[in-house]
Structure formats: structure tokens, C-alpha cells
Amino acid sequence: MQIENKVTFPRLGNYHIPISTFVEKTLNAKVCVSPAITKRTIELGTKHSPDFVCVPFKYNIGNYIEALENGANILIQAGGGCRFGYYGEVQEEILKSLGYEFKFFNINDRKFKPLRYYELLKKINSKLTFRKFMYYFYLIYKQIFAIDKIEDYIRKNIGFEINKGDFENVEKRFLVELKKTEKIRDVNNIFTKYITLLKKIPINKPKNCLKVGIVGELYVLIEPFSNYFIEKEMASYGIEVQRYINISYLFFSRKHKKSRTLKLAKPYLQYDIGADGVDSVAHSKELAKKGFDGIIHIKPFGCMPEINCMPILQRLSQDYKIPILYFSFDSQTSETGVKTRLEAFYDMLSMRKNLNSPLAPL
Amino acid sequence: MKAKIRVGIPRGLLYYKHKVLWTNFIKELGADPIISPETNKEILNNGIKHSIDEGCLSSKIYMGHVDWLRNRVDYVFVPRVASYSKNDQTCVRLFALPDIVENTFYGIKLLKYNLDIQNGKTEKVEFLKLGLKLNKNIFTVISAYKKAKIRQLEYEKGQEARQIKLLENVGKLKILIASHSYNTYDKLIGFPVKHYLEKLNTEVIYADRVSKNNAIKASCKISKSLYWSHNQEILGAVELYKDKIDGIILLTTFPCGPDSLVNDLCIRKIKNIPIAYILIDELQGEAGMHTRLESFVDIISARKGVTRCR
Ligand code: SF4
Ligand code: SF4
């Protein structure tokens, strides 16, 4: 009897939706999405990972194990830059030594090259035509774009909703419907529908509310479980949150703009400092110039590119007189610790704002 | 006579790998290379003071050396070495050295070059640009680079040849220190390990005393997707030497990014040689390390059927 193929991949925010669509449509394979991240996921991950590897590795391992338990047998790991590109090989060894049986595909690519993906997918599904590949590629591009736009709107407004839970309800319904989309037109329609719905949600947003930008390492920025739902927590204080990094940014704009980002980071940076380090500096500078009240910088413990950019952020913080709060996340991070520090930061920001308000330019 | 320009070279990180090239190049150009002293407690503490908490110990020590030099020389030499070929890269900590140093010590005057083959920055061109800052005569600069390069290669060959001799010596237990050269040779990190191993009457073998090209090729046998050049060299040395040695010590500074993964893979894949994994952080005491080394040497002696004389 032939065993059915079930594909899985590490989770990252809500992006399992487009990735699943893509795998299902182009590979004609079943997808077994790893269960939503819980305490167990990270406990499993920590138990089976090298000691001080950066925390996304541990989440990935947890995701794989939970998906393997549900019958997944094809594991995919993307890669690129920094330590992430080397995750795959080590993870494959670890999972093998735990006795699981599976095939592991490591798409270890430094640059974003759709054509290479096509060749790779064709190896698994020989019937895949280039036309079909491009169609679904475009479809998931649309899906990703929709997710990012919707989340961005929510991030800026959820702290000010009048009826608690409005935004989350609409978001949930949006994700359910998005999952079912198979045509580009459907994605467009759903996006329009939900962005209109979101805009109708009553909010009470003061003109001079606190505005805080959040920068740092991609994984902990995007996967809310790994950052202890920091954006939600910020919203609960009535803060408007701005974040630049999401997947549309990563795939569809950063790669073409790397040298431009580096220019934005001048005079602080002269060279690429790895992974998202340059973005963190460039975006912090932009936030400071735009007059944001504060910046929160988050990273996994020991994350090298972000450690690289910290002395630079410290200097930027002095130059522009903008407070920056730094968080490092690991599997052991204490949730109360995060909350307390955030609260203190909020108090400090609002005090500064009140003191300055009569003088502050609009 | 005009005083010579003083160029400070921090005794840390890639200094240990490229020291002959660097010092000779600077000398040939008519400048005076000043190398910071061996790492000591004061350098370490100043390094810690000028670093982000979570940085690796090796890079903190480097910052201490920069700090020691900065008021004693005209320029501090802080190159950026990002990739040696199209297929590899170094640790991203090294990508950022000049930017970190300049943002930590405002107004410091650096001399730097940017070796990054993946982005078309070759060593030759970068050295010419650097050299012209110290000496206006382009011919002097070219010949300085050539001479320094030849000396570096000769030095590496000599080191390898000496080590091959040691490996033939059958009398003693041979232990390979598999670590970045800036850890192996640092006075506070690797030196105590080496020193104690020698006291235990073992022969210490070094991972960096091996032909780079051979090592990189050999590393593929253990790990096929590894792309950090320095870790490729270390892993390659493990592969090349594994039949000639009795034990391996993986020496890592906390919390080194590349090593966190590569060590794990190495331990999983190298099965028939005892491996000890020693992690060094700021607060290390030597006593713990001694006990570990002693029991490690006991294990491999027992395995070989020799009794260790004390
Ligand atoms: S960017 Fe940070 S979290 Fe990502 S692989 Fe590198 S060290 Fe790990
Ligand atoms: S390889 Fe490890 S020890 Fe070396 S600079 Fe990078 S993190 Fe530090």
C-alpha cells in the first residue's frame, strides 16, 4: 500500500494559509498544518534543540514534531541568511534521531528566485505546468498581501475599538474565508469585503494617541506566540502600533531595496549587518524622524544580526531623543517580566508626552 | 624624520587567522603596526562594558582590544570579512564589526577593508584601496600586498607541516581543539585549556593548522549545507584528522550562533571518537574546566588501554 503524502512546514503567524494553498495546488498533495503553537510546542522544541540556538529553531522543531504526530511525512524548511539557512540540516538530523520517518526538503536559498522553486516543485510533481505554477504563485501573493494589509489596519486601530473584540471577530472570519479562496478574483473580493468591514468598526482614537513602532527580528515580530502577544498587550494600553516587517515586505519589496534600505540607515550603517539588522536600523530612523513616541526592538535571545544593530540603535536613540525598549525572547522568558517592562515603558512614554504636549508640534 | 603612522591591530577575532598578512602589509607600507597585548582581565572587563550583553564572549574581548588601542594609535584596523568565496559567508557578527566599533566609540578613526566575494569585493582590490590611504605610491602598495600575502601563505604551510610531524609522534594521546582560532589562542579562553592538556601529558592538535581548501572540501562529508567558512574549516579539520587523534574538544564561547548548530551536528555525526564540549562564558572559573579535562583524558586513556602517568 502506498502511504499518502502529507506535507508540513513550520508555522509563522497566519501565513500557513497561503503556504497551504500553494502546496495543495501545485503539488497535488495533502497539507498537514502543524497545530497552533501552545506551551507544549515550545516545550517539545526546547527539549530536542541544541541549548542556546535561537528560539525560532525551537519553535520549528516543536511544529514538526506535532505535525509528525498527526501523520505528516514530508517536511519543508525554507532558509536563507544568518543561522536560518542552516536550520534544515540540523533539524533533519534531530528528528531522524527521534525515530520519525519522513522526507525533508530544504529550500536553502539566499535569494528569492521563483524559477528555482518551480524546478524544485516539478521534481515532486512532474505534471506541474509553468502556467499553473505562476497562477498560484500570484494567487498566494494576493493572499499574503491581503493578510498583511488587514493586519496592518488592525494593528493601528485595535487599541481604540469601542466594543471589545470587534476587530478580532472580523479578522477570524476573514481568515476562515481566505482559506477557501481558490481564484485570484475571490481573494480580491474577500479583501475588499473585509477591509470595508474593518473600517466600519467604531473606534475612538484620540488625535495625539501614543504611537510606537515595533522593529527587530522577523520571526518574533511575526509569530505572536513567540513575542508573548506583545502587540495585543500594547494595544490594550491604547497605543497605535506600526510595524514594517511582514512577508510581503520581505519577499516583494526588501530584496529589491536592500541597497536603498542601507542608504536609509546612513550615517549609522555602512555595511550589511546580516538578516534584518539593516531594516531595524533604517526603520527606527524613519520612526524617529516621523515623530513616533517610542520604539520597541524585539529579538530572539542571542540573535546575532539584532545584537549587531543594538549599539547603533542606542546611538540613534540618543541622537533623536526617542526611547527604545529592548526585548529578548527565549523559551524561558517570563511573561510577567515582559508585561511589567512594557507597562513601565508605557508610563514613561505617556509622561513624556504630557510634559511635552503644549510645545509639541502637531 | 616624520613619525611613522601608528596602526593598531586588535588582538582578537580574525587577527589570529590573518595576522601575518595584516602586520606585514602595514609594515611594508611604512607604517607601524601596534598589536594590543594578550587578553587580560582588564581588557575583558572593558570589552564587556562596551558590548551588548548578549554578544558572544569572543566579540566582547575584541571590543576590549579596540578600547585598549583607541587612544594609543592613529588608526585602529577593523576590517569587515564577510565572505571568502561565492559559496560561503562568515558569521554575521563579523559583518558588522566596523559599524559596531564606529557606533560604540564615537569619532574613532578606523582603517578597514571589506572582503565580500559574494558582493564582488575582492581582497586584492580592497587591499589596494586600503593601502593607498597609508602610502600614495601604488607600486609600493601592490608589492606590499604581494609580499604580505606570500608570507601569510608560507606561515600557514609551516604551521601545517609542524603539526603533521606531531601527528606522527605515537607516544602521546592526541587531542584536537576544534574551535575558532580566536578562541583557541586567546589567553583567557583557549590558552588555559591548551596549557592544562599539556600538563596532562597530551599532545594538542589545532584545527586551524590544516590546508584550508582540503578542510573545506572535507567538511562536506560531515555537513553538506554548512556555509560558514570558519566552521567549515574547523569541521573539515575534524574530518581530516579524525583517524589520527584520540579525542576532540569543541571549545565554544557563549552564546556563539554558528557553533550552537554546528557543534550539535558534529556530536551527532562523529560517533567513534570521544568528544568533550566546553562552553566558556564570562564568569568561568578554571577549576571546573580542569576537572572536566581530567576526566576526559581519563576516558580516552582507558579507551586506548594506556594508563596515564601523573
Ligand atoms: S536572524 Fe536571529 S533568529 Fe534568525 S537565524 Fe539569525 S540569529 Fe537566529
Ligand atoms: S562565530 Fe561565534 S564566536 Fe565567532 S563571532 Fe560569531 S558568534 Fe562570535
Side-chain angles (χ1 to χ4, degrees), chain A residues 50 52 57 82-83 85-86 89 93 97 110 268 270-273 299 301-302 307-308 312 315 328, chain B residues 54 80 89 92-93 96 99-100 103 106 112 118 223-227 256-257 260-261 265 268-269 277:
Chain A
F52 50 90
F57 187 99
C82 197
R83 261 187 273 186
Y86 195 55
E89 192 175 348
E93 282 298 317
S97 73
R110 273 153 222 238
Y268 296 101
Q270 203 183 341
Y271 303 111
D272 179 10
I273 58 171
K299 67 172 185 305
F301 176 84
I307 296 174
N308 284 344
I312 297 141
R315 185 166 165 200
S328 252
Chain B
E54 278 169 47
R80 175 181 191 263
Q89 65 173 61
V92 295
R93 287 297 280 162
D99 283 319
I100 292 176
N103 280 285
Y106 306 167
K112 53 197 169 195
Q118 285 200 16
S223 172
K224 49 188 187 320
S225 72
L226 185 61
Y227 47 79
C256 171
S260 69
L261 289 166
L265 195 84
R268 283 168 194 278
K269 291 227 167 158
Y277 173 29

Side-chain angles (χ1 to χ4, degrees), chain A residues 123-139:
Chain A
K123 270 191 211 150
I124 309 176
N125 174 15
S126 53
K127 286 196 213 102
L128 180 67
T129 63
F130 189 66
R131 223 189 119 108
K132 200 169 162 196
F133 169 82
M134 279 316 284
Y135 182 82
Y136 287 111
F137 190 77
Y138 193 58
L139 177 82

Side-chain angles (χ1 to χ4, degrees), chain A residues 208 350-362:
Chain A
N208 62 342
S350 27
M351 236 150 75
R352 269 181 115 226
K353 187 132 190 157
N354 287 336
L355 284 178
N356 290 342
S357 57
L359 304 169
L362 280 175

Side-chain angles (χ1 to χ4, degrees), chain B residues 90-110:
Chain B
T90 62
C91 167
V92 295
R93 287 297 280 162
L94 306 178
F95 281 32
L97 281 186
D99 283 319
I100 292 176
V101 170
E102 278 174 340
N103 280 285
T104 307
F105 304 108
Y106 306 167
I108 190 170
K109 279 219 249 131
L110 297 190

